[in-house]
Amino acid sequence: MADAVDEILAQWGRERPDLDVWPMGIIGRVARLQLVLHRELKDFFAGQGLETWEFDVLATLRRSGEPYELTAGALLKAAMVTSGAITNRIDRLEAKGLVERVRDADDRRSVRIRLTSRGLSLVDQVVGLHTANEARLLEALDPADRDRLAGLLRGLLESLGDTSPR
């Protein structure tokens, strides 16, 4: 069975047989897969009344452990967006009653972003559904293929220096 990338590779093979285009086979598929998964996840989160970025912020706070709070700087590193974007995101989540800003007890100049009880309840409800949805998206892979693919992707990410979630 052929996919869209096979057609692209065949076109390059016909037009530029002097090029070894094997990297396009991998990077092209990863890029296309990212687009497909992004669309699927966006649709899933919309069905939960959330934007993908909203879930990302809520999940980052939730997995940080009690009291489910981080500095804006730590959220900024985790989200890999501009400081203005993270401020906007926090503002929007605060307006929805999902997070609150609290003064750091140890450093009064610092503000921490904390899940509200409503935010905690929402992320705890959605994360199980999200995990089931991701499993659905990967159901074409048997357990051995999932493990092998995860290992290959881990190795590639490590080789490119992506070893920390923050």
Side-chain angles (χ1 to χ4, degrees), residues 83-117:
S83 59
I86 200 67
T87 299
N88 181 288
R89 291 176 178 193
I90 294 166
D91 289 346
R92 290 171 65 185
L93 288 169
E94 190 174 39
K96 286 180 144 184
L98 300 174
V99 302
E100 61 186 345
R101 288 176 167 95
V102 294
R103 290 271 172 220
D104 189 316
D106 298 326
D107 179 2
R108 300 290 292 164
R109 298 169 296 163
S110 181
V111 174
R112 300 181 73 75
I113 312 307
R114 179 184 299 159
L115 280 178
T116 62
S117 59

Side-chain angles (χ1 to χ4, degrees), residues 3 15 26 29 64 93 96 99 101-102 113 118 120 122 126 139 142 144-145 148 150:
D3 65 7
E15 296 299 318
I26 296 171
R29 286 183 176 96
S64 72
L93 288 169
K96 286 180 144 184
V99 302
R101 288 176 167 95
V102 294
I113 312 307
R118 182 172 170 219
L120 177 62
L122 178 62
V126 173
E139 68 189 0
D142 66 42
D145 286 342
R148 188 169 41 259

Side-chain angles (χ1 to χ4, degrees), residues 11-161:
Q11 290 168 342
W12 279 118
R14 184 183 67 244
E15 296 299 318
R16 289 290 309 270
D18 58 308
L19 293 177
D20 187 1
V21 295
W22 71 265
M24 291 181 184
I26 296 171
I27 293 181
R29 286 183 176 96
V30 169
R32 291 178 73 88
L33 183 59
Q34 189 276 333
L35 292 172
V36 169
L37 293 175
H38 175 76
R39 184 180 61 241
E40 289 282 338
L41 294 176
K42 183 178 178 186
D43 290 348
F44 167 79
F45 287 119
Q48 306 305 311
L50 290 169
E51 298 285 339
T52 304
W53 67 263
E54 289 175 313
F55 178 78
D56 288 343
V57 172
L58 297 175
T60 299
L61 291 168
R62 175 61 175 97
R63 70 177 188 265
S64 72
E66 278 196 75
Y68 313 117
E69 65 182 33
L70 293 169
T71 65
L75 278 175
L76 178 65
K77 288 178 187 174
M80 298 188 325
V81 295
T82 66
S83 59
I86 200 67
T87 299
N88 181 288
R89 291 176 178 193
I90 294 166
D91 289 346
R92 290 171 65 185
L93 288 169
E94 190 174 39
K96 286 180 144 184
L98 300 174
V99 302
E100 61 186 345
R101 288 176 167 95
V102 294
R103 290 271 172 220
D104 189 316
D106 298 326
D107 179 2
R108 300 290 292 164
R109 298 169 296 163
S110 181
V111 174
R112 300 181 73 75
I113 312 307
R114 179 184 299 159
L115 280 178
T116 62
S117 59
R118 182 172 170 219
L120 177 62
S121 177
L122 178 62
V123 72
D124 277 347
Q125 172 191 346
V126 173
V127 72
L129 298 171
H130 171 54
T131 303
N133 183 54
E134 287 184 326
R136 176 190 65 83
L137 294 171
L138 299 174
E139 68 189 0
L141 300 174
D142 66 42
D145 286 342
R146 292 189 307 241
D147 291 344
R148 188 169 41 259
L149 179 58
L152 291 169
L153 293 171
R154 180 185 306 109
L156 183 57
L157 286 167
E158 287 174 357
S159 77
L160 297 172

